[in-house]
Amino acid sequence: MVTYLRYAALGDSFTEGVGDADPALPNGVRGWADRVAAVLHAAQPEARYVNLAIRGRKLVPIVEEQVDAAIALGPDLVTIHAGGNDLLRLSVDITALAAVYDDAIGRLRATGTTVVLFTPHDPGAAAGFRALRGRFAILAEAMREIADRHDAVLVDYWRLRDYDDVRLWSFDRLHMSAAGHQRMAMAVLDALGVDHDLQTLELAPLPDLSTAEQARQALTWVTGFAGPWLGRRLRGVSSGDTLAPKYPDWSVPPQ
């Protein structure tokens, strides 16, 4: 059976666990990486976990702040997700992003650690982000090439069609719900060949919304998420500016 004893999770809100609320945990979230770490710890009680991910981080800061810090800790497993926040900016150089990503994965793989990376998801089913689908698709193909080049493990998020279901997304339509994080933990463990007994979480029935209710929910989304998010972009601030990593040192993962 495949086992890992030192797992380092790097990235942005996706890896921090935003959307999977748990007030008892650091930064108030759990997330798929915590769930993966818990499975590894259950199999090997000496397994430990660091999570350096911070919401709102773009690719270059993730590489500068987290990659060397992770290498210094000597992990035998690293997961890294980045680039989503770059794709949401008005303009983005995807070729340059891919080059930075490629260099980071090369440095991580040179240490001998197993590295898991992810394509972006396909936003085609999300009306608020559908216009950016081309950007996401280009970066997705770049991630497949990088994984091939460095013999890294790839979770092809783009092809996980479960995520067309709105119930796998949180209120903000940008981050996964608890059910979405659970599903991602399963995908990561499966890609690694790690035995687990995780099951998909039960989903509430899809609501049959009237046109008026759909409009009300759309307005709530604009005022509750899209407006504040755009305001932070215009001010040059991020929701993660005041946060520290959840688990900066080797820790027993939450169960």
Side-chain angles (χ1 to χ4, degrees):
M1 183 179 74
V2 180
T3 59
Y4 297 97
L5 299 179
R6 300 180 308 280
Y7 166 35
L10 316 181
D12 50 27
S13 57
F14 173 83
T15 301
E16 187 189 349
V18 175
D20 185 11
D22 190 330
L25 296 180
N27 294 358
V29 294
R30 182 176 294 272
W32 66 266
D34 283 19
R35 296 165 187 263
V36 167
V39 169
L40 300 178
H41 183 261
Q44 296 286 338
E46 63 270 34
R48 295 296 181 266
Y49 168 53
V50 296
N51 189 323
L52 306 181
I54 295 287
R55 67 193 69 178
R57 289 293 194 269
K58 295 197 291 184
L59 174 60
V60 170
I62 288 170
V63 171
E64 292 177 345
E65 298 168 8
Q66 299 177 27
V67 170
D68 285 340
I71 290 172
L73 290 167
D76 57 10
L77 172 64
V78 171
T79 59
I80 178 168
H81 178 281
N85 289 307
D86 298 84
L87 294 178
L88 295 175
R89 292 327 194 252
L90 290 177
S91 63
V92 59
D93 185 338
I94 299 176
T95 300
L97 279 185
V100 172
Y101 227 134
D102 183 75
D103 177 74
I105 300 306
R107 288 195 286 128
L108 287 165
R109 286 291 292 134
T111 69
T113 188
T114 297
V115 176
V116 178
L117 48 148
F118 305 78
T119 68
H121 80 288
D122 179 359
F129 301 101
R130 194 173 297 144
L132 301 178
R133 195 181 191 198
R135 291 182 176 188
F136 281 68
I138 293 168
L139 185 59
E141 186 56 28
M143 300 312 298
R144 296 183 188 110
E145 293 178 359
I146 291 169
D148 287 345
R149 186 176 304 118
H150 296 288
D151 194 24
V153 176
L154 179 71
V155 175
D156 202 328
Y157 195 3
W158 185 277
R159 295 173 180 170
L160 293 178
R161 303 319 310 182
D162 309 43
Y163 288 93
D164 290 344
D165 189 324
V166 297
R167 294 169 294 181
L168 268 62
W169 297 91
S170 68
F171 156 78
D172 64 19
R173 308 181 189 179
L174 184 62
H175 299 102
M176 296 180 293
S177 64
H181 279 279
Q182 177 83 350
R183 177 67 183 86
M184 186 56 62
M186 295 166 60
V188 171
L189 292 164
D190 290 344
L192 287 167
V194 173
D195 292 337
H196 65 89
D197 59 3
L198 297 184
Q199 301 291 324
T200 55
L201 300 185
E202 184 175 354
L203 300 174
L206 281 169
D208 184 13
L209 302 178
S210 66
T211 301
E213 179 61 21
Q214 291 179 41
R216 189 192 69 79
Q217 289 195 2
L219 178 60
T220 300
W221 177 75
V222 169
T223 58
F225 171 73
W229 179 86
L230 180 59
R232 290 195 300 272
R233 298 288 80 73
L234 294 174
R235 298 194 306 274
V237 299
S238 166
S239 57
D241 285 347
T242 61
L243 296 178
K246 291 164 55 176
Y247 302 106
D249 301 305
W250 292 121
S251 305
V252 174
Q255 301 301 305

